[in-house]
Amino acid sequence: MAHTIAVLPGDGIGPEVMDQALRVLDSVKEKFSLEVSATTHLVGGAAIDDSGTPLPADTLAACEASDAILFGSVGGPKWENLPPDIQPERGALLPLRKHFGLFANLRPGVCLPQLIDASPVKNELISEGFNVLCVRELTGGIYFGTPKGREEREGEEAAIDTMVYRRSEIERIAHVAFKAAQGRDKRLTSVDKANVLAVSVLWREVIEEVAKQYPDVTLDHLYVDNAAMQLIRRAPDFDVIVTGNLFGDILSDEMAMISGSLGMLPSASLAEIDEKGLSFGMYEPSGGSAPDIAGQGIANPVAQILSLSMLLRYSLGAVEAADAIDAAVAKTIEDGFRTGDIYSKSEGETLANTKEITDAIL
Amino acid sequence: MAHTIAVLPGDGIGPEVMDQALRVLDSVKEKFSLEVSATTHLVGGAAIDDSGTPLPADTLAACEASDAILFGSVGGPKWENLPPDIQPERGALLPLRKHFGLFANLRPGVCLPQLIDASPVKNELISEGFNVLCVRELTGGIYFGTPKGREEREGEEAAIDTMVYRRSEIERIAHVAFKAAQGRDKRLTSVDKANVLAVSVLWREVIEEVAKQYPDVTLDHLYVDNAAMQLIRRAPDFDVIVTGNLFGDILSDEMAMISGSLGMLPSASLAEIDEKGLSFGMYEPSGGSAPDIAGQGIANPVAQILSLSMLLRYSLGAVEAADAIDAAVAKTIEDGFRTGDIYSKSEGETLANTKEITDAIL
Ligand SMILES: CC(C)[C@H](C(=O)O)[C@@H](O)C(=O)O
Ligand SMILES: CC(C)[C@H](C(=O)O)[C@@H](O)C(=O)O
């Protein structure tokens, strides 16, 4: 079956790590006889420079004509002072999520046992590493709720945002999270602020209801302030976390930082599953465009390569190819190859640049 | 001048650490000839057990008749399954904050150089310890904004909360934060989500405006997701942080966890400053009621004792007494006294229980 993917390298280290991901794509295409054609398009700051907008119409059209989007990263100091709406990150990501209904954001927070030195957390708290999956609702909540904007309150200027969730929105992300937990250690932690937010009370109610369909999964609830603490102290105790858009934004980034290997972490933003069990999706590294090291050929390409693997798995159904990439990455780390961000100068480690670590993976 | 304070020990370790704080109060009253009378009242779970409500009318009346509230901690498994509204934490804290207009929550996130082993963060990232002050707006934002509740959206059940800030609310917390920064290292970080929230765009605008009155303070802005990451990686780089109610809830707890010494951290929730330069305020430990160790006499009383010190400073203007308490606590830690939560078994440390460490402070 022939597939098309839209490749959006973006800014900063985006293009250079994307180049390496495309080398990996070529390799699995050959090895597993996949028919995948990739077309490359401008997004983010690169697109602003070219046409004044972070998400040009032809880029969007190309995404529409594809089975999935492989996204690099966007943003950088050059575009930082633009109004939020047309900044590279916000101006590209939010419209893409909304347009394609990418409601389910899956962000693994993984710290491999070999990489605990790179984590900011004390080694004894994460001695075996950890593997948490954060499932974040991505098209609802306070990001998109209305009313939103300026208005007068008590006779003076005020601004408001509306956090809103409908029952069905909570249900569908709950199913994604419970199913993910079933394929892992069968433990789900739902994070909310049900002691303060009406939305969280409904959230908790619906999660409890959906839980009845997944009796094999153990469910618990944490308030978001407590979750922000517990992740630091005991990341290894978590399996799958499910939460709304805003809390997911904060906690998944926090989790990524705790893992210490931002450059290793992919993410998937998925739409509803179709008849074939596949989703349209957008796949991107969890880290940013790292303008400080862009162009030097030293960035860690693993997050981009693992994003490709998620794309193959969830949008193309090329499970064997995805497994092969995951295994190759694991082996490369076991063999001691390290880009600068995860290099701890321990015995058995080899410092590698962007291309060299990809060579090892290939 | 005679002062009255309302003492609300609450649940869990609350009463036992409060006993020690009151010993310290007696000592400074004598030493500095202060006239302070303290009356004790039920709050939280203890009040629920007694009268069915976490904040009884006579407790509230006693607080109204006082210059400040010294609060212990509330909550525990016994009351966990009550509806949020009448749970000990929410049912006591939110009404007290709103009733007394306690809009400025000051939460020091301090890790003393001697206590870095107790932090979950790697020693090399915090080798000299750190001292961050989190200034959280406490009576606005999504906690209290209306509309709030259930409503129908797109033909189905939904729940909504409203995040709202008026210009004057942002201004007054900004002044508190800038003034605090002036008394410290003159650096202020404002945390928002201005790339997504209309409220944050106004927040940033007002903070920038107020900044003009404090040209000696260096201001920068961070998005909340980024702040959640940076605090872990580089807490020592921060001086004062100012943010809204919800983000402050999350970040100040995260910061407290990073410090590793929750049992050492006090907090102050202040109302507007009066003609004498003093505020009505509520003072409480940052940590919770720790029901797991309650009643054993081993809890760390320092957070409660330092809360008393903040009370003396901000509500009673007894600066000398407050300084004396702070110095005594610092000396006690230097001398190696440690309750279990901060004991790292290093040479020169003496394991102490709740009473013993207070003896040392006295
Ligand atoms: C750029 C921003 C709008 C975005 C978000 O808040 O969702 C980003 O932080 C993310 O998590 O992908
Ligand atoms: C108990 C709860 C309502 C409260 C809050 O969210 O403000 C608590 O977490 C706090 O930070 O004091």
Side-chain angles (χ1 to χ4, degrees):
Chain A
M1 206 175 40
H3 296 284
T4 310
I5 67 175
V7 173
L8 278 49
D11 309 317
I13 60 169
E16 59 202 272
V17 295
M18 188 64 87
D19 282 346
Q20 304 306 315
L22 293 179
R23 288 176 67 206
V24 173
L25 175 61
D26 281 338
S27 152
V28 293
K29 271 167 66 176
E30 200 184 302
K31 183 148 183 193
F32 298 96
S33 311
L34 302 174
E35 268 188 69
V36 184
S37 62
T39 61
T40 300
H41 310 276
L42 290 175
V43 75
I48 294 176
D49 288 350
D50 182 67
S51 65
T53 160
L55 184 63
D58 57 339
T59 295
L60 192 62
C63 295
E64 279 175 348
S66 302
D67 300 300
I69 304 168
L70 189 61
F71 196 95
S73 49
V74 292
K78 186 171 173 191
W79 309 281
E80 235 166 47
N81 294 316
L82 293 173
D85 271 26
I86 56 163
Q87 270 174 24
E89 299 86 345
R90 192 209 176 287
L93 293 175
L94 295 199
L96 279 169
R97 292 174 189 166
K98 201 65 190 180
H99 184 84
F100 292 104
L102 306 174
F103 72 96
N105 183 220
L106 308 186
R107 281 187 63 179
V110 177
C111 179
L112 297 173
Q114 302 95 335
L115 299 183
I116 61 174
D117 284 335
S119 164
V121 163
K122 285 195 166 78
N123 286 0
E124 64 257 36
L125 295 176
I126 50 169
S127 50
E128 326 256 283
F130 59 82
N131 184 330
V132 183
L133 177 68
C134 188
V135 177
R136 167 187 175 195
E137 202 290 329
L138 202 59
T139 51
I142 201 167
Y143 274 61
F144 297 98
T146 52
K148 186 183 204 77
R150 296 280 162 111
E151 62 174 55
E152 216 181 87
R153 289 253 175 157
E154 305 184 28
E156 59 168 322
E157 190 182 17
I160 79 159
D161 294 276
T162 305
M163 184 182 279
V164 49
Y165 271 114
R166 285 175 286 120
R167 185 169 277 278
S168 62
E169 290 176 301
I170 305 171
E171 273 163 9
R172 68 176 178 179
I173 194 72
H175 284 292
V176 170
F178 277 105
K179 286 195 179 115
Q182 280 186 323
R184 299 173 39 114
D185 200 33
K186 300 193 171 45
R187 290 178 297 116
L188 179 63
T189 303
S190 172
V191 175
D192 62 36
K193 184 78 190 175
N195 49 353
V196 173
L197 302 180
V199 164
S200 290
V201 174
L202 178 63
W203 178 276
R204 209 174 261 222
E205 218 173 280
V206 175
I207 297 279
E208 288 284 350
E209 273 170 37
V210 173
K212 295 191 190 121
Q213 300 174 43
Y214 301 88
D216 53 333
V217 175
T218 312
L219 170 68
D220 65 354
H221 303 272
L222 279 185
Y223 295 137
V224 61
D225 47 335
N226 194 17
M229 298 206 285
Q230 301 309 320
L231 283 178
I232 300 177
R233 179 61 73 183
R234 49 183 195 87
D237 289 354
F238 292 88
D239 181 23
V240 180
I241 293 173
V242 64
T243 189
N245 206 345
L246 182 63
F247 297 157
D249 179 46
I250 300 170
L251 294 181
S252 61
D253 264 3
E254 182 186 342
M255 167 65 49
M257 177 54 92
I258 294 168
S259 83
S261 357
L262 255 176
M264 303 282 296
L265 302 179
S267 78
S269 303
L270 306 177
E272 305 268 11
I273 293 176
D274 67 16
E275 327 74 63
K276 293 177 232 138
L278 301 176
S279 305
F280 183 88
M282 177 159 91
Y283 303 84
E284 58 181 313
S286 282
S289 60
D292 50 318
I293 58 160
Q296 300 176 35
I298 58 169
N300 189 340
V302 169
Q304 192 72 63
I305 291 167
L306 291 177
S307 295
L308 170 65
S309 149
M310 290 186 101
L311 181 155
L312 291 164
R313 188 182 304 278
Y314 295 115
S315 287
L316 271 44
V319 177
E320 275 185 323
D323 286 345
I325 294 175
D326 293 353
V329 166
K331 178 80 168 51
T332 301
I333 297 299
E334 264 164 46
D335 290 349
F337 292 93
R338 303 280 187 273
T339 43
D341 55 316
I342 52 171
Y343 182 55
S344 71
K345 304 197 179 82
S346 304
E347 217 186 315
E349 291 187 359
T350 310
L351 183 63
N353 65 23
T354 310
K355 183 171 173 302
E356 287 160 355
I357 198 166
T358 311
D359 291 343
I361 293 168
L362 285 170
Chain B
M1 203 175 44
H3 295 284
T4 311
I5 69 175
V7 173
L8 279 48
D11 310 316
I13 60 168
E16 58 203 270
V17 295
M18 188 63 86
D19 282 346
Q20 304 306 317
L22 293 178
R23 288 176 66 207
V24 173
L25 175 61
D26 282 338
S27 153
V28 294
K29 270 167 65 177
E30 202 183 300
K31 183 149 183 188
F32 298 94
S33 310
L34 303 174
E35 268 188 69
V36 184
S37 62
T39 62
T40 299
H41 310 276
L42 290 175
V43 75
I48 295 176
D49 288 352
D50 181 68
S51 65
T53 160
L55 183 64
D58 57 341
T59 296
L60 191 62
C63 295
E64 279 173 349
S66 303
D67 300 301
I69 305 168
L70 188 61
F71 195 95
S73 50
V74 292
K78 185 171 173 192
W79 309 281
E80 235 167 47
N81 295 314
L82 294 173
D85 271 25
I86 57 164
Q87 272 175 22
E89 298 88 344
R90 192 206 175 289
L93 293 175
L94 295 199
L96 279 169
R97 290 174 190 168
K98 200 68 191 177
H99 185 83
F100 291 103
L102 307 173
F103 71 95
N105 183 221
L106 308 187
R107 281 186 63 178
V110 176
C111 179
L112 297 173
Q114 302 95 334
L115 299 183
I116 61 174
D117 284 336
S119 164
V121 163
K122 285 195 166 80
N123 287 1
E124 64 257 36
L125 295 176
I126 50 168
S127 49
E128 326 257 285
F130 59 83
N131 183 331
V132 183
L133 176 67
C134 189
V135 178
R136 167 187 175 195
E137 201 292 329
L138 202 59
T139 51
I142 202 167
Y143 274 61
F144 297 97
T146 52
K148 186 185 205 75
R150 296 279 162 111
E151 61 173 59
E152 217 182 85
R153 288 254 175 157
E154 304 184 30
E156 57 167 323
E157 190 182 17
I160 79 159
D161 293 276
T162 304
M163 184 182 279
V164 51
Y165 270 114
R166 286 175 286 119
R167 185 170 277 277
S168 62
E169 290 177 301
I170 306 170
E171 275 164 8
R172 68 176 178 179
I173 193 73
H175 284 292
V176 171
F178 276 105
K179 286 195 179 112
Q182 281 186 323
R184 298 172 40 113
D185 200 32
K186 300 192 171 46
R187 290 178 296 116
L188 178 63
T189 303
S190 172
V191 175
D192 63 35
K193 184 76 190 175
N195 51 354
V196 172
L197 302 180
V199 164
S200 290
V201 173
L202 178 63
W203 179 276
R204 208 173 262 222
E205 219 173 279
V206 174
I207 297 278
E208 287 284 350
E209 272 169 37
V210 174
K212 295 190 189 121
Q213 299 174 45
Y214 302 88
D216 53 332
V217 175
T218 311
L219 170 69
D220 65 352
H221 303 272
L222 279 185
Y223 295 137
V224 61
D225 47 335
N226 193 19
M229 299 206 285
Q230 301 309 320
L231 284 179
I232 301 177
R233 177 62 72 182
R234 49 183 195 88
D237 289 353
F238 292 88
D239 181 23
V240 180
I241 293 173
V242 63
T243 188
N245 206 342
L246 182 62
F247 297 157
D249 179 46
I250 301 170
L251 293 182
S252 61
D253 265 3
E254 184 187 339
M255 168 63 49
M257 176 55 91
I258 294 169
S259 83
S261 359
L262 254 177
M264 302 283 296
L265 302 178
S267 78
S269 303
L270 305 178
E272 306 268 9
I273 293 177
D274 65 16
E275 329 73 64
K276 293 178 233 137
L278 302 176
S279 305
F280 184 89
M282 177 159 92
Y283 303 83
E284 59 182 311
S286 283
S289 60
D292 49 318
I293 58 161
Q296 300 177 35
I298 58 169
N300 190 339
V302 169
Q304 191 72 61
I305 290 167
L306 291 177
S307 295
L308 169 65
S309 150
M310 291 185 101
L311 181 155
L312 291 165
R313 188 183 304 278
Y314 296 115
S315 287
L316 271 45
V319 176
E320 275 186 322
D323 285 345
I325 295 175
D326 293 354
V329 167
K331 178 78 168 54
T332 302
I333 298 299
E334 263 164 45
D335 289 349
F337 293 93
R338 303 281 187 272
T339 42
D341 55 318
I342 51 171
Y343 183 55
S344 71
K345 304 195 179 84
S346 304
E347 217 186 315
E349 292 187 359
T350 310
L351 184 62
N353 64 23
T354 310
K355 184 172 170 302
E356 287 159 356
I357 198 166
T358 311
D359 291 343
I361 293 168
L362 286 169

